[in-house]
Amino acid sequence: MEVHKIMCACGSGLGSSLMVEMNINDVLKKMGRTDIQVSHSTTSDVKPGAADLFVVGCDLADFIKDVPEDSKVILNNIVDKNELQEKLTEAFAR
């Protein structure tokens, strides 16, 4: 999957999505990926075409059910950078 834009989402678009965005930027830097734009927003902004990949915590998975499965990363633990790197690597390989 070609990923140029990742959107992190949470209920308010301010708390956990911002933290996940910062963690994604750290993981992407570690992976040597400087070609990907990362943003954060509310789950209501998650729509096909708004980004190539959407990242949310497992508690919000139902809020992004309209997005194709291969465009989602659902995190069990939003602060676990190892899980994040593993799931991003899987998503990039799709």
Side-chain angles (χ1 to χ4, degrees):
M1 163 185 248
E2 287 250 356
V3 177
H4 301 285
K5 186 172 183 183
I6 297 174
M7 181 186 289
C8 313
C10 68
S12 66
L14 297 171
S16 60
S17 62
L18 176 59
M19 184 180 59
V20 172
E21 176 186 354
M22 292 187 301
N23 287 346
I24 288 174
N25 283 320
D26 289 347
V27 168
L28 290 175
K29 185 176 181 182
K30 183 178 172 186
M31 294 171 74
R33 297 293 304 259
T34 59
D35 57 327
I36 299 174
Q37 176 188 354
V38 185
S39 64
H40 65 278
S41 193
T42 66
T43 52
S44 61
D45 289 333
V46 174
K47 298 172 181 59
D52 302 310
L53 196 61
F54 300 92
V55 181
V56 299
C58 59
D59 57 325
L60 299 174
D62 286 347
F63 289 94
I64 66 166
K65 62 183 178 287
D66 296 335
V67 174
E69 287 300 314
D70 64 343
S71 296
K72 299 183 209 184
V73 170
I74 309 296
L75 299 173
N76 294 313
N77 181 344
I78 63 170
V79 297
D80 184 346
K81 289 185 184 179
N82 291 324
E83 177 191 5
L84 182 58
Q85 182 169 349
E86 182 180 304
K87 290 189 173 179
L88 287 177
T89 300
E90 288 174 12
F92 296 160
R94 292 182 195 144

